[in-house]
Amino acid sequence: MVLPRTQEENARQRALTYFQRAGIYLTKDEMDSLKAVDFGLGRLEEIGLERVVYVKTGRCCAKEMILFPGQTCPEHIHLPFEAEPGKEETFRCRWGKVYLYVPGKPVQKPQAKIPEDLRQYFTVWHEIVLTPGGQYTLAPNTLHWFQGGPDGAVVSEFSTNNRDEADIYSNPEISMAPRRN
Amino acid sequence: MVLPRTQEENARQRALTYFQRAGIYLTKDEMDSLKAVDFGLGRLEEIGLERVVYVKTGRCCAKEMILFPGQTCPEHIHLPFEAEPGKEETFRCRWGKVYLYVPGKPVQKPQAKIPEDLRQYFTVWHEIVLTPGGQYTLAPNTLHWFQGGPDGAVVSEFSTNNRDEADIYSNPEISMAPRRN
């Protein structure tokens, strides 16, 4: 399923306002490079994120991600590949609030809400709430997902290099869908 | 030479105002962890920088650096170590202006000014000027140095892991001096 162009452009423009609110300066080229990623499900407002990649070399990567209120990056894992142990990533909240879920004791009343029909694809429920300045480093090979809080979120990601083919999503429709990111 | 405590504290407090100006939120612990680094020369206003390390794992590193007006990170190189090719780093200017110098055609009239007695320890003069949103990725094993512009600078650094013992400074007094960073 392909995201309609107007919907993608609206999401891009809306994401740019988050950068302004967070006081993060982007160049014109970076604004143009901002992508709305719907993971192929065509439900961007629910399952998606917006992002600008600052740097991606063979060794490390830094990007800025926007999550609209309630918008969710779906559960996935970064598997080891070749001689590498898999992608290690640190999330740092710059603005707003983000709910991050990882393996561990499940929270009783999760703050994130997931569409009922996708509920089966979210299996880890240990909740970490990040507000500005809060950060969390995720070891490779760890299931995780995250959702923007009531006002959305701006999140920096610092990581080792990744390989798209080593990213496995819990929802098989995502791995089979055309990759838009 | 040890930086007097009051001078270090003044630099720390001054650096915190740069984070505010750049709209970068730090937690209380991060504010406390902010370090003024004088590279052991005791000339912090000329040769030094202030920094907060967000994350430093065995694989990658992200930090924020402050350079006061005219304050210089002295020339150095990140050598290969063990099986690693050496530290690769990306500088991204968030606020202000930074003059970065790398190997290549020397600039005719460099914008950075270096104290005359230290001039011999600055050997690469290809000038790159970074303003907000500007960034530059430095390959490992590349001599480089940088200086804050007229209003100073806030610079993000995204990098692979580093080893202090693989950082070689052109000024031998620095490698012999007690390491403060």
Side-chain angles (χ1 to χ4, degrees):
Chain A
M1 196 177 302
V2 177
L3 197 62
R5 186 167 294 270
T6 47
Q7 193 187 348
E8 184 175 13
E9 187 54 26
N10 287 345
R12 282 177 19 77
Q13 293 304 324
R14 188 176 167 201
L16 288 175
T17 68
Y18 281 76
F19 281 94
Q20 288 169 347
R21 277 182 258 183
I24 296 173
Y25 189 92
L26 297 181
T27 63
K28 175 73 171 59
D29 283 352
E30 287 171 334
M31 289 184 199
D32 291 344
S33 78
L34 190 156
K35 278 199 171 54
V37 180
D38 75 346
F39 299 93
L41 297 186
R43 299 167 66 167
L44 181 70
E45 289 289 324
E46 295 169 300
I47 305 293
L49 57 81
E50 293 68 35
R51 71 171 180 203
V52 168
V53 177
Y54 287 148
V55 59
K56 179 173 164 56
T57 72
R59 299 174 71 198
C60 63
C61 184
K63 64 183 76 159
E64 220 78 70
M65 299 184 291
I66 306 295
L67 295 156
F68 298 145
Q71 196 180 33
T72 302
C73 175
E75 187 176 280
H76 63 288
I77 193 168
H78 305 290
L79 296 180
F81 56 87
E82 296 171 10
E84 297 280 330
K87 185 187 181 197
E88 168 201 287
E89 54 196 6
T90 296
F91 299 119
R92 180 179 180 85
C93 181
R94 299 286 192 169
W95 185 92
K97 189 183 282 187
V98 62
Y99 307 125
L100 171 65
Y101 296 86
V102 297
K105 190 179 176 194
V107 67
Q108 284 292 327
K109 293 187 177 175
Q111 298 193 63
K113 304 297 173 211
I114 292 300
E116 206 44 51
D117 64 317
L118 300 177
R119 179 67 178 74
Q120 62 184 306
Y121 305 124
F122 293 82
T123 67
V124 295
W125 288 91
H126 183 71
E127 183 177 83
I128 294 154
V129 180
L130 299 178
T131 54
Q135 64 177 47
Y136 188 84
T137 298
L138 204 74
N141 218 355
T142 306
L143 278 169
H144 61 287
W145 60 279
F146 47 96
Q147 183 174 97
D151 297 319
V154 180
V155 180
S156 297
E157 182 188 301
F158 317 122
S159 74
T160 60
N161 184 29
N162 77 309
R163 303 271 183 100
D164 283 349
E165 63 270 28
D167 297 350
I168 304 297
Y169 289 83
S170 299
N171 181 347
E173 282 186 55
I174 293 180
S175 58
M176 288 184 297
R179 294 299 296 267
R180 296 188 53 84
N181 49 339
Chain B
M1 197 177 302
V2 176
L3 197 62
R5 187 167 292 270
T6 49
Q7 193 188 349
E8 184 175 14
E9 187 54 29
N10 287 346
R12 283 177 18 79
Q13 294 304 324
R14 189 176 167 200
L16 287 174
T17 67
Y18 280 76
F19 281 94
Q20 287 169 347
R21 278 182 258 183
I24 296 174
Y25 188 92
L26 297 181
T27 64
K28 175 72 171 60
D29 283 351
E30 287 172 333
M31 289 184 199
D32 292 343
S33 77
L34 191 155
K35 278 198 171 52
V37 179
D38 75 347
F39 298 93
L41 298 186
R43 299 167 64 168
L44 181 70
E45 289 289 324
E46 295 169 300
I47 305 294
L49 56 81
E50 293 67 37
R51 72 172 179 204
V52 168
V53 177
Y54 288 147
V55 58
K56 179 174 165 56
T57 72
R59 298 174 71 198
C60 64
C61 184
K63 64 183 76 159
E64 221 77 70
M65 299 184 290
I66 306 296
L67 295 157
F68 298 145
Q71 195 180 35
T72 303
C73 176
E75 187 177 281
H76 62 289
I77 193 168
H78 305 290
L79 296 180
F81 56 88
E82 296 169 10
E84 297 280 331
K87 185 187 181 196
E88 168 201 286
E89 55 196 5
T90 296
F91 300 119
R92 181 180 179 84
C93 181
R94 299 288 191 168
W95 185 93
K97 188 183 282 187
V98 62
Y99 307 125
L100 170 65
Y101 296 86
V102 297
K105 190 180 176 191
V107 67
Q108 284 291 328
K109 292 186 179 175
Q111 297 193 65
K113 303 298 172 210
I114 292 300
E116 206 45 50
D117 65 315
L118 300 176
R119 180 66 179 73
Q120 64 184 305
Y121 304 124
F122 294 82
T123 67
V124 295
W125 288 91
H126 184 71
E127 184 177 84
I128 294 155
V129 180
L130 299 178
T131 54
Q135 64 177 48
Y136 188 85
T137 297
L138 205 74
N141 218 356
T142 306
L143 278 169
H144 61 286
W145 61 278
F146 47 96
Q147 183 175 97
D151 297 320
V154 180
V155 181
S156 297
E157 182 188 300
F158 317 122
S159 74
T160 60
N161 184 28
N162 78 307
R163 302 271 184 102
D164 283 347
E165 64 271 27
D167 297 350
I168 305 297
Y169 288 83
S170 300
N171 181 348
E173 283 186 55
I174 292 180
S175 58
M176 288 184 297
R179 295 299 297 267
R180 294 187 55 83
N181 49 339

